[in-house]
Coordinates of all heavy atoms in Angstrom, one line a residue:
M1 N 23.0 -27.7 -22.8 CA 23.5 -26.6 -22.0 C 22.3 -25.7 -21.6 O 21.5 -25.3 -22.4 CB 24.6 -25.9 -22.8 CG 25.2 -24.8 -21.9 SD 26.7 -24.2 -22.8 CE 27.4 -23.2 -21.6
M2 N 22.4 -25.2 -20.4 CA 21.3 -24.5 -19.8 C 21.7 -23.0 -19.8 O 22.8 -22.7 -19.4 CB 20.9 -24.9 -18.4 CG 19.6 -24.9 -18.1 SD 19.0 -25.6 -16.4 CE 20.4 -26.1 -15.6
N3 N 20.8 -22.1 -20.2 CA 21.1 -20.7 -20.1 C 20.5 -20.2 -18.7 O 19.8 -21.0 -18.0 CB 20.6 -19.9 -21.2 CG 19.1 -19.8 -21.3 OD1 18.4 -19.9 -20.4 ND2 18.5 -19.9 -22.6
D4 N 20.6 -18.9 -18.4 CA 20.3 -18.4 -17.1 C 18.8 -18.6 -16.9 O 18.3 -18.9 -15.8 CB 20.6 -16.9 -17.0 CG 22.1 -16.8 -16.7 OD1 22.8 -17.8 -16.3 OD2 22.6 -15.7 -16.9
N5 N 18.0 -18.3 -17.9 CA 16.5 -18.4 -17.8 C 16.0 -19.9 -17.6 O 14.9 -20.1 -17.0 CB 15.8 -17.9 -19.1 CG 16.1 -16.4 -19.4 OD1 16.3 -15.7 -18.3 ND2 16.1 -16.0 -20.6
E6 N 16.8 -20.8 -17.9 CA 16.4 -22.2 -17.7 C 16.8 -22.7 -16.4 O 16.5 -23.9 -16.0 CB 17.0 -23.1 -18.8 CG 16.4 -22.7 -20.2 CD 17.2 -23.4 -21.4 OE1 18.3 -23.6 -21.2 OE2 16.4 -23.6 -22.4
N7 N 17.7 -22.0 -15.7 CA 18.2 -22.5 -14.4 C 17.2 -22.3 -13.3 O 17.0 -21.2 -12.6 CB 19.5 -21.8 -14.1 CG 20.1 -22.3 -12.7 OD1 19.5 -23.1 -12.1 ND2 21.3 -21.7 -12.5
T8 N 16.3 -23.3 -13.0 CA 15.2 -23.1 -12.1 C 15.7 -23.3 -10.6 O 14.9 -23.0 -9.8 CB 14.1 -24.2 -12.4 OG1 14.7 -25.5 -12.4 CG2 13.4 -23.9 -13.7
N9 N 16.9 -23.7 -10.5 CA 17.5 -23.8 -9.1 C 18.0 -22.5 -8.5 O 18.3 -22.4 -7.5 CB 18.6 -24.9 -9.1 CG 18.0 -26.3 -9.3 OD1 16.9 -26.5 -8.8 ND2 18.8 -27.1 -10.0
H10 N 18.0 -21.5 -9.4 CA 18.6 -20.1 -9.1 C 17.6 -19.4 -8.2 O 16.4 -19.2 -8.7 CB 19.0 -19.4 -10.4 CG 19.5 -18.1 -10.0 ND1 20.9 -17.9 -9.6 CD2 19.0 -16.8 -10.1 CE1 21.1 -16.6 -9.4 NE2 20.0 -15.9 -9.7
K11 N 17.9 -19.1 -7.0 CA 17.1 -18.4 -6.1 C 17.4 -17.0 -6.1 O 18.6 -16.6 -6.1 CB 17.2 -18.9 -4.7 CG 16.6 -20.4 -4.5 CD 16.5 -20.8 -3.2 CE 15.9 -22.2 -3.2 NZ 15.8 -22.8 -1.9
I12 N 16.3 -16.1 -6.1 CA 16.6 -14.7 -6.1 C 16.1 -14.0 -4.8 O 14.9 -14.3 -4.3 CB 15.9 -14.0 -7.3 CG1 16.4 -14.6 -8.6 CG2 15.9 -12.6 -7.2 CD1 15.6 -14.2 -9.8
C13 N 16.9 -13.3 -4.2 CA 16.6 -12.6 -2.9 C 15.5 -11.6 -3.2 O 15.6 -10.8 -4.2 CB 17.8 -12.0 -2.3 SG 17.4 -10.9 -0.9
R14 N 14.5 -11.5 -2.4 CA 13.5 -10.5 -2.6 C 13.9 -9.1 -2.5 O 13.2 -8.2 -2.9 CB 12.2 -10.7 -1.5 CG 11.5 -12.0 -1.8 CD 10.5 -12.2 -0.7 NE 9.8 -13.5 -0.9 CZ 8.7 -13.6 -1.5 NH1 8.1 -12.5 -2.0 NH2 8.1 -14.8 -1.6
K15 N 15.1 -8.8 -1.8 CA 15.5 -7.5 -1.7 C 16.8 -7.1 -2.5 O 17.3 -6.0 -2.4 CB 15.9 -7.2 -0.2 CG 14.7 -7.3 0.7 CD 15.0 -7.0 2.2 CE 13.7 -7.2 3.0 NZ 14.2 -6.9 4.4
C16 N 17.2 -8.1 -3.3 CA 18.5 -7.9 -4.1 C 18.4 -6.8 -5.1 O 19.3 -6.0 -5.2 CB 18.9 -9.2 -4.7 SG 19.6 -10.3 -3.6
L17 N 17.3 -6.7 -5.8 CA 17.2 -5.7 -6.8 C 17.2 -4.3 -6.3 O 17.9 -3.4 -6.8 CB 15.9 -6.0 -7.7 CG 15.9 -7.4 -8.5 CD1 14.7 -7.5 -9.2 CD2 17.0 -7.4 -9.5
I18 N 16.4 -4.1 -5.2 CA 16.3 -2.8 -4.6 C 17.7 -2.5 -4.0 O 18.2 -1.4 -4.2 CB 15.2 -2.7 -3.6 CG1 13.9 -2.8 -4.2 CG2 15.3 -1.4 -2.8 CD1 12.7 -3.0 -3.4
A19 N 18.3 -3.4 -3.3 CA 19.6 -3.0 -2.7 C 20.6 -2.7 -3.7 O 21.4 -1.8 -3.6 CB 20.0 -4.3 -1.9
A20 N 20.7 -3.5 -4.8 CA 21.6 -3.2 -5.9 C 21.4 -1.8 -6.5 O 22.3 -1.1 -6.8 CB 21.6 -4.3 -7.0
Q21 N 20.1 -1.5 -6.7 CA 19.7 -0.2 -7.3 C 20.1 0.9 -6.3 O 20.6 2.0 -6.8 CB 18.2 -0.1 -7.7 CG 17.8 1.0 -8.5 CD 16.5 0.9 -9.0 OE1 15.6 0.1 -8.5 NE2 16.2 1.5 -10.1
A22 N 19.8 0.8 -5.0 CA 20.1 1.9 -4.1 C 21.6 2.2 -4.1 O 22.0 3.3 -3.9 CB 19.7 1.5 -2.7
E23 N 22.4 1.2 -4.3 CA 23.9 1.3 -4.3 C 24.3 2.0 -5.6 O 25.2 2.8 -5.6 CB 24.6 0.0 -4.2 CG 24.5 -0.6 -2.8 CD 25.1 -2.0 -2.8 OE1 25.7 -2.4 -3.7 OE2 24.9 -2.6 -1.8
A24 N 23.6 1.7 -6.7 CA 24.1 2.1 -8.0 C 23.5 3.5 -8.3 O 24.1 4.4 -8.9 CB 23.5 1.2 -9.1
V25 N 22.4 4.0 -7.7 CA 21.8 5.2 -8.0 C 22.1 6.3 -7.0 O 21.8 6.1 -5.8 CB 20.2 5.0 -8.2 CG1 19.6 6.4 -8.5 CG2 20.0 4.1 -9.4
D26 N 22.7 7.3 -7.4 CA 23.0 8.5 -6.6 C 21.8 9.4 -6.9 O 21.8 10.1 -7.9 CB 24.3 9.1 -6.9 CG 24.6 10.4 -6.2 OD1 23.7 10.9 -5.6 OD2 25.7 10.8 -6.1
L27 N 20.8 9.5 -6.0 CA 19.6 10.3 -6.2 C 19.9 11.7 -6.5 O 19.3 12.3 -7.4 CB 18.6 10.1 -5.0 CG 18.0 8.8 -4.9 CD1 17.0 8.8 -3.7 CD2 17.2 8.5 -6.1
A28 N 20.8 12.3 -5.8 CA 21.2 13.7 -6.1 C 21.7 13.8 -7.4 O 21.4 14.8 -8.2 CB 22.2 14.2 -5.1
A29 N 22.5 13.0 -7.9 CA 23.1 13.0 -9.3 C 21.9 12.8 -10.3 O 21.9 13.5 -11.3 CB 24.2 11.9 -9.5
E30 N 21.0 11.9 -10.0 CA 19.9 11.7 -10.9 C 19.0 12.9 -11.0 O 18.6 13.3 -12.1 CB 19.0 10.5 -10.4 CG 19.5 9.2 -10.7 CD 19.4 8.9 -12.2 OE1 18.4 8.7 -12.7 OE2 20.6 8.8 -12.8
M31 N 18.9 13.6 -9.8 CA 18.0 14.8 -9.9 C 18.7 15.9 -10.8 O 18.0 16.6 -11.6 CB 17.8 15.3 -8.5 CG 16.7 16.5 -8.4 SD 15.2 16.1 -8.9 CE 14.7 14.7 -7.9
D32 N 20.0 16.1 -10.6 CA 20.7 17.0 -11.4 C 20.6 16.7 -12.9 O 20.4 17.6 -13.7 CB 22.2 17.0 -11.0 CG 22.4 17.7 -9.6 OD1 21.6 18.4 -9.1 OD2 23.5 17.4 -9.1
R33 N 20.6 15.4 -13.2 CA 20.5 15.0 -14.6 C 19.1 15.3 -15.1 O 19.0 15.8 -16.3 CB 20.7 13.4 -14.7 CG 20.9 12.9 -16.1 CD 21.4 11.5 -16.1 NE 20.4 10.6 -15.6 CZ 19.3 10.2 -16.3 NH1 19.2 10.6 -17.6 NH2 18.4 9.4 -15.8
F34 N 18.1 15.0 -14.3 CA 16.7 15.4 -14.7 C 16.5 16.9 -15.0 O 16.0 17.4 -15.9 CB 15.7 14.9 -13.7 CG 15.4 13.5 -13.8 CD1 15.4 12.7 -12.6 CD2 15.0 12.8 -15.0 CE1 15.1 11.4 -12.6 CE2 14.8 11.4 -15.1 CZ 14.8 10.7 -13.9
L35 N 17.0 17.6 -14.0 CA 16.9 19.1 -14.0 C 17.6 19.7 -15.2 O 17.2 20.7 -15.7 CB 17.3 19.8 -12.7 CG 16.4 19.4 -11.5 CD1 17.1 20.0 -10.2 CD2 15.0 19.8 -11.7
A36 N 18.7 19.1 -15.6 CA 19.6 19.6 -16.7 C 18.7 19.5 -18.0 O 19.0 20.2 -19.0 CB 20.8 18.9 -16.8
M37 N 17.7 18.6 -18.1 CA 17.0 18.4 -19.3 C 15.9 19.5 -19.4 O 15.3 19.7 -20.5 CB 16.3 17.1 -19.3 CG 17.2 15.9 -19.4 SD 16.5 14.3 -19.7 CE 15.9 13.9 -18.0
L38 N 15.6 20.3 -18.3 CA 14.6 21.3 -18.4 C 15.2 22.6 -19.0 O 16.3 23.0 -18.7 CB 14.1 21.6 -16.9 CG 13.2 20.7 -16.3 CD1 12.9 21.2 -14.9 CD2 11.9 20.4 -17.0
K39 N 14.2 23.2 -19.8 CA 14.7 24.5 -20.4 C 14.5 25.5 -19.2 O 13.7 25.4 -18.4 CB 13.7 24.9 -21.6 CG 13.8 24.1 -22.7 CD 12.8 24.5 -23.7 CE 12.8 23.5 -24.8 NZ 11.6 23.7 -25.7
P40 N 15.4 26.5 -19.2 CA 15.2 27.5 -18.1 C 13.9 28.1 -17.9 O 13.4 28.3 -16.8 CB 16.3 28.6 -18.5 CG 17.3 27.9 -19.4 CD 16.5 26.8 -20.1
E41 N 13.2 28.3 -19.1 CA 11.9 29.0 -19.1 C 10.8 28.0 -18.5 O 9.7 28.4 -18.2 CB 11.5 29.5 -20.4 CG 11.4 28.5 -21.5 CD 12.6 28.3 -22.3 OE1 13.8 28.5 -21.8 OE2 12.6 27.9 -23.5
D42 N 11.1 26.7 -18.5 CA 10.2 25.8 -17.8 C 10.5 25.5 -16.4 O 9.7 24.6 -15.8 CB 10.3 24.4 -18.6 CG 9.8 24.5 -20.0 OD1 8.9 25.5 -20.3 OD2 10.4 23.8 -20.9
M43 N 11.5 26.1 -15.8 CA 11.7 25.9 -14.4 C 11.0 26.9 -13.5 O 10.8 28.0 -13.9 CB 13.2 26.0 -14.2 CG 14.0 24.9 -14.9 SD 15.7 24.9 -14.3 CE 15.5 24.3 -12.7
A44 N 10.6 26.3 -12.4 CA 10.0 27.3 -11.3 C 11.1 28.0 -10.7 O 12.2 27.6 -10.6 CB 9.3 26.5 -10.3
G45 N 10.9 29.3 -10.4 CA 11.9 30.1 -9.8 C 12.1 29.6 -8.3 O 11.4 28.7 -7.8
D46 N 13.1 30.2 -7.7 CA 13.5 29.7 -6.4 C 12.3 29.9 -5.4 O 12.1 29.1 -4.5 CB 14.7 30.5 -5.9 CG 16.0 30.1 -6.6 OD1 16.0 29.1 -7.1 OD2 17.0 30.9 -6.5
D47 N 11.6 31.0 -5.4 CA 10.5 31.3 -4.5 C 9.4 30.3 -4.7 O 8.9 29.8 -3.7 CB 10.0 32.7 -4.7 CG 11.0 33.8 -4.2 OD1 12.0 33.4 -3.5 OD2 10.8 35.0 -4.6
L48 N 9.1 30.0 -5.9 CA 8.0 29.0 -6.1 C 8.4 27.6 -5.7 O 7.7 26.9 -5.0 CB 7.6 29.1 -7.6 CG 6.4 28.2 -8.0 CD1 5.2 28.4 -7.2 CD2 6.2 28.3 -9.6
F49 N 9.6 27.3 -6.1 CA 10.2 26.0 -5.7 C 10.1 25.9 -4.1 O 9.6 24.8 -3.6 CB 11.5 25.8 -6.1 CG 12.2 24.6 -5.7 CD1 11.9 23.4 -6.2 CD2 13.2 24.7 -4.6 CE1 12.5 22.1 -5.7 CE2 13.8 23.5 -4.1 CZ 13.4 22.3 -4.7
S50 N 10.6 26.8 -3.4 CA 10.7 26.8 -1.9 C 9.3 26.7 -1.4 O 9.1 25.9 -0.4 CB 11.3 28.0 -1.4 OG 12.8 28.0 -1.8
K51 N 8.3 27.5 -1.9 CA 7.0 27.4 -1.4 C 6.4 26.0 -1.6 O 5.8 25.5 -0.7 CB 6.2 28.4 -2.2 CG 4.7 28.6 -1.6 CD 4.0 29.7 -2.5 CE 2.5 29.7 -2.1 NZ 1.8 30.6 -2.8
R52 N 6.6 25.4 -2.8 CA 6.0 24.1 -3.0 C 6.7 23.0 -2.1 O 5.9 22.2 -1.5 CB 6.3 23.7 -4.4 CG 5.5 24.5 -5.4 CD 5.9 24.3 -6.9 NE 5.0 24.8 -7.8 CZ 5.2 24.7 -9.2 NH1 6.3 24.1 -9.6 NH2 4.3 25.2 -10.1
I53 N 8.0 23.1 -2.0 CA 8.7 22.0 -1.1 C 8.3 22.2 0.3 O 8.1 21.1 1.0 CB 10.2 22.2 -1.3 CG1 10.6 21.7 -2.7 CG2 11.0 21.5 -0.2 CD1 10.3 20.2 -3.0
S54 N 8.0 23.4 0.8 CA 7.7 23.5 2.2 C 6.2 23.0 2.4 O 6.0 22.3 3.5 CB 7.6 25.0 2.6 OG 6.5 25.7 2.0
I55 N 5.3 23.0 1.4 CA 4.1 22.3 1.5 C 4.3 20.8 1.6 O 3.7 20.0 2.4 CB 3.2 22.7 0.4 CG1 2.8 24.2 0.6 CG2 1.9 21.9 0.3 CD1 2.2 24.9 -0.7
C56 N 5.2 20.2 0.7 CA 5.5 18.9 0.5 C 6.0 18.3 1.9 O 5.7 17.2 2.3 CB 6.4 18.5 -0.5 SG 5.7 18.7 -2.3
K57 N 6.9 19.1 2.5 CA 7.5 18.6 3.8 C 6.5 18.4 4.8 O 6.7 17.6 5.7 CB 8.5 19.7 4.2 CG 9.8 19.6 3.4 CD 10.8 20.6 4.0 CE 12.2 20.5 3.2 NZ 13.1 21.5 3.7
D58 N 5.3 19.1 4.8 CA 4.4 18.8 5.8 C 3.2 17.9 5.3 O 2.2 17.8 6.1 CB 3.7 20.3 6.2 CG 4.7 21.1 7.0 OD1 5.6 20.5 7.6 OD2 4.5 22.4 6.9
C59 N 3.5 17.4 4.2 CA 2.4 16.5 3.6 C 2.5 15.1 4.0 O 3.5 14.5 3.9 CB 2.4 16.7 2.1 SG 1.2 15.7 1.3
S60 N 1.4 14.5 4.3 CA 1.4 13.0 4.7 C 1.7 12.1 3.6 O 1.9 10.9 3.7 CB 0.1 12.6 5.4 OG -1.0 12.8 4.4
Y61 N 1.7 12.6 2.3 CA 2.0 11.7 1.2 C 3.5 11.7 0.9 O 3.9 10.9 0.2 CB 1.3 12.2 -0.1 CG -0.2 11.9 -0.1 CD1 -1.1 12.8 0.3 CD2 -0.6 10.7 -0.5 CE1 -2.5 12.6 0.3 CE2 -2.0 10.3 -0.5 CZ -2.9 11.3 -0.1 OH -4.3 11.0 -0.2
L62 N 4.2 12.5 1.6 CA 5.7 12.5 1.3 C 6.3 11.3 2.0 O 6.2 11.1 3.1 CB 6.4 13.9 1.9 CG 7.9 14.0 1.5 CD1 8.0 14.2 0.1 CD2 8.4 15.2 2.3
L63 N 7.1 10.5 1.2 CA 7.7 9.4 1.6 C 9.2 9.4 1.1 O 9.5 9.2 0.0 CB 7.1 8.2 1.0 CG 7.6 6.8 1.5 CD1 7.4 6.6 3.0 CD2 6.9 5.6 0.7
G64 N 10.0 9.9 2.1 CA 11.5 10.2 1.7 C 11.4 11.4 0.7 O 11.0 12.4 1.1
A65 N 12.0 11.1 -0.5 CA 12.0 12.2 -1.5 C 10.8 12.0 -2.4 O 10.8 12.7 -3.4 CB 13.3 12.2 -2.1
T66 N 10.0 11.1 -2.2 CA 9.0 10.7 -3.2 C 7.6 11.0 -2.7 O 7.3 11.0 -1.6 CB 9.0 9.2 -3.4 OG1 10.4 8.8 -3.8 CG2 8.0 8.7 -4.5
C67 N 6.7 11.5 -3.7 CA 5.3 11.7 -3.4 C 4.7 10.3 -3.5 O 4.7 9.8 -4.6 CB 4.7 12.7 -4.4 SG 3.0 12.9 -4.3
N68 N 4.0 10.0 -2.5 CA 3.3 8.6 -2.4 C 2.0 8.7 -3.2 O 1.3 7.7 -3.4 CB 3.0 8.2 -1.0 CG 3.2 6.7 -0.9 OD1 3.7 6.1 -1.8 ND2 2.8 6.2 0.3
A69 N 1.5 9.9 -3.6 CA 0.3 10.0 -4.4 C 0.5 9.8 -5.8 O -0.4 9.4 -6.6 CB -0.3 11.4 -4.2
C70 N 1.7 10.2 -6.3 CA 1.9 10.0 -7.7 C 3.2 9.3 -8.0 O 3.4 8.8 -9.2 CB 2.0 11.4 -8.4 SG 3.4 12.4 -7.8
G71 N 4.0 9.1 -7.1 CA 5.3 8.3 -7.3 C 6.5 9.1 -7.8 O 7.5 8.5 -8.1
C72 N 6.3 10.3 -8.0 CA 7.4 11.1 -8.5 C 8.3 11.7 -7.4 O 7.9 11.7 -6.2 CB 6.9 12.3 -9.4 SG 6.2 13.6 -8.4
Y73 N 9.5 12.1 -7.8 CA 10.3 12.8 -6.8 C 9.8 14.2 -6.8 O 9.7 15.0 -7.7 CB 11.8 12.9 -7.3 CG 12.5 11.5 -7.3 CD1 12.9 11.0 -8.5 CD2 12.6 10.9 -6.1 CE1 13.5 9.6 -8.4 CE2 13.2 9.5 -6.0 CZ 13.7 9.0 -7.3 OH 14.2 7.7 -7.2
V74 N 9.5 14.7 -5.5 CA 8.8 16.0 -5.3 C 9.8 17.1 -5.8 O 9.3 18.2 -6.2 CB 8.3 16.2 -3.9 CG1 7.2 15.2 -3.5 CG2 9.4 16.1 -2.9
E75 N 11.0 17.0 -5.6 CA 12.0 18.1 -5.9 C 11.9 18.3 -7.5 O 12.1 19.4 -7.9 CB 13.4 17.8 -5.5 CG 13.6 18.0 -4.0 CD 14.9 17.7 -3.5 OE1 15.9 18.4 -4.1 OE2 15.1 16.9 -2.7
F76 N 11.8 17.2 -8.2 CA 11.6 17.4 -9.6 C 10.4 18.0 -10.0 O 10.2 19.0 -10.7 CB 11.8 16.1 -10.3 CG 11.8 16.3 -11.9 CD1 12.8 16.8 -12.6 CD2 10.6 15.8 -12.6 CE1 12.8 16.9 -13.9 CE2 10.6 16.0 -14.0 CZ 11.7 16.5 -14.6
R77 N 9.2 17.5 -9.4 CA 8.0 18.1 -9.7 C 7.9 19.5 -9.4 O 7.3 20.3 -10.1 CB 6.8 17.3 -9.0 CG 5.5 17.7 -9.2 CD 4.4 16.9 -8.5 NE 4.1 15.6 -9.2 CZ 3.2 15.5 -10.1 NH1 2.5 16.5 -10.4 NH2 3.0 14.3 -10.7
A78 N 8.3 19.9 -8.2 CA 8.3 21.3 -7.7 C 9.2 22.2 -8.6 O 9.0 23.4 -8.6 CB 8.8 21.4 -6.2
N79 N 10.2 21.7 -9.2 CA 11.1 22.4 -10.1 C 10.5 22.8 -11.4 O 11.0 23.7 -12.1 CB 12.4 21.8 -10.3 CG 13.5 22.3 -9.4 OD1 13.7 23.5 -9.3 ND2 14.1 21.4 -8.6
V80 N 9.5 22.1 -11.8 CA 8.8 22.3 -13.2 C 7.7 23.4 -13.0 O 6.8 23.2 -12.3 CB 8.2 21.0 -13.7 CG1 7.6 21.2 -15.1 CG2 9.3 20.0 -13.8
K81 N 7.8 24.4 -13.6 CA 7.0 25.7 -13.6 C 5.5 25.3 -13.6 O 4.7 25.7 -12.8 CB 7.4 26.7 -14.6 CG 6.6 28.0 -14.4 CD 6.6 28.9 -15.7 CE 8.0 29.6 -15.9 NZ 8.0 30.5 -16.9
H82 N 5.1 24.6 -14.7 CA 3.7 24.3 -14.9 C 3.2 23.0 -14.3 O 2.2 22.5 -14.7 CB 3.4 24.4 -16.4 CG 3.6 25.7 -16.9 ND1 2.9 26.9 -16.6 CD2 4.6 26.3 -17.8 CE1 3.3 28.0 -17.2 NE2 4.4 27.6 -18.0
S83 N 4.0 22.4 -13.4 CA 3.5 21.3 -12.7 C 2.6 21.6 -11.6 O 2.3 22.8 -11.3 CB 4.9 20.6 -12.1 OG 4.4 19.4 -11.5
N84 N 1.9 20.6 -11.0 CA 1.0 20.7 -10.0 C 1.0 19.5 -9.1 O 1.5 18.5 -9.4 CB -0.4 21.1 -10.5 CG -0.8 20.0 -11.4 OD1 -0.6 18.8 -11.2 ND2 -1.6 20.4 -12.4
C85 N 0.5 19.8 -7.9 CA 0.4 18.7 -6.9 C -0.8 17.8 -7.3 O -1.9 18.3 -7.5 CB 0.2 19.3 -5.5 SG -0.5 18.2 -4.3
P86 N -0.6 16.5 -7.3 CA -1.7 15.5 -7.5 C -2.9 15.7 -6.6 O -3.9 15.2 -6.9 CB -1.1 14.2 -7.5 CG 0.2 14.4 -6.7 CD 0.7 15.7 -6.9
K87 N -2.6 16.2 -5.4 CA -3.6 16.4 -4.4 C -4.1 17.8 -4.3 O -4.8 18.2 -3.4 CB -3.2 15.9 -3.0 CG -2.9 14.3 -3.0 CD -4.2 13.6 -3.3 CE -4.0 12.2 -3.2 NZ -5.3 11.4 -3.5
K88 N -3.7 18.7 -5.3 CA -4.1 20.1 -5.4 C -3.7 20.9 -4.2 O -4.4 21.8 -3.7 CB -5.6 20.2 -5.7 CG -6.0 19.5 -7.0 CD -7.4 19.8 -7.3 CE -7.9 19.1 -8.6 NZ -7.0 18.6 -9.6
K89 N -2.5 20.5 -3.5 CA -2.1 21.2 -2.4 C -1.2 22.5 -2.8 O -1.1 23.4 -2.1 CB -1.3 20.4 -1.5 CG -2.1 19.4 -0.8 CD -1.3 18.6 0.2 CE -2.2 17.6 1.0 NZ -1.6 17.0 2.1
W90 N -0.7 22.5 -4.1 CA -0.1 23.6 -4.6 C -0.2 23.6 -6.1 O -0.7 22.7 -6.8 CB 1.4 23.7 -4.3 CG 2.3 22.5 -4.5 CD1 2.7 21.7 -3.4 CD2 3.0 22.0 -5.6 NE1 3.5 20.8 -3.9 CE2 3.7 20.9 -5.2 CE3 3.0 22.5 -6.9 CZ2 4.5 20.1 -6.2 CZ3 3.7 21.7 -7.9 CH2 4.5 20.6 -7.5
Ligands
SF4_1 S1 3.2 16.8 -4.4 FE1 1.4 17.2 -3.3 S2 0.6 15.2 -2.5 FE2 2.7 15.0 -3.2 S3 3.9 15.2 -1.3 FE3 3.8 17.3 -2.3 S4 2.1 18.2 -1.4 FE4 1.9 16.1 -1.0

């Protein structure tokens, strides 16, 4: 009897994993979950967060909600008080 790993006739679509993940992951909910793990004293305040995000919005490294320089979600990075931009823009 063959298990899944031995089934060499099984073809995998190159986009199936990403498509399945995009459907399964609600990014806003994921962000809320990440932010809930931060202590209040470790969070950037509203002014600092807004200043950082406005810089990210004009940055050529921004790809969707992700920083293409480091791979993180910029909203999460900008919410962490002692975080910084990998390109030293903030
Ligand atoms: S964190 Fe820095 S490099 Fe990344 S998108 Fe924001 S400004 Fe650009």
Side-chain angles (χ1 to χ4, degrees):
M1 185 169 187
M2 220 174 357
N3 67 31
D4 287 344
N5 292 335
E6 295 169 328
N7 183 356
T8 55
N9 293 326
H10 181 76
K11 294 188 177 182
I12 299 173
C13 170
R14 291 176 182 268
K15 296 180 180 177
C16 286
L17 297 177
I18 291 172
Q21 191 167 25
E23 290 171 11
V25 175
D26 176 344
L27 286 181
E30 278 294 289
M31 188 61 57
D32 287 344
R33 195 173 64 80
F34 282 131
L35 294 177
M37 292 189 287
L38 287 176
K39 295 176 188 168
E41 62 267 27
D42 291 333
M43 294 190 71
D46 289 346
D47 290 347
L48 181 56
F49 173 78
S50 295
K51 184 178 175 185
R52 289 172 170 177
I53 288 298
S54 69
I55 294 169
C56 290
K57 283 182 175 176
D58 289 335
C59 178
S60 61
Y61 285 98
L62 185 66
L63 185 64
T66 305
C67 172
N68 218 12
C70 66
C72 71
Y73 292 118
V74 293
E75 287 180 52
F76 183 73
R77 181 178 280 273
N79 261 303
V80 179
K81 185 193 289 185
H82 297 296
S83 184
N84 54 36
C85 164
K87 294 296 180 183
K88 302 189 183 336
K89 294 186 176 189
W90 51 260

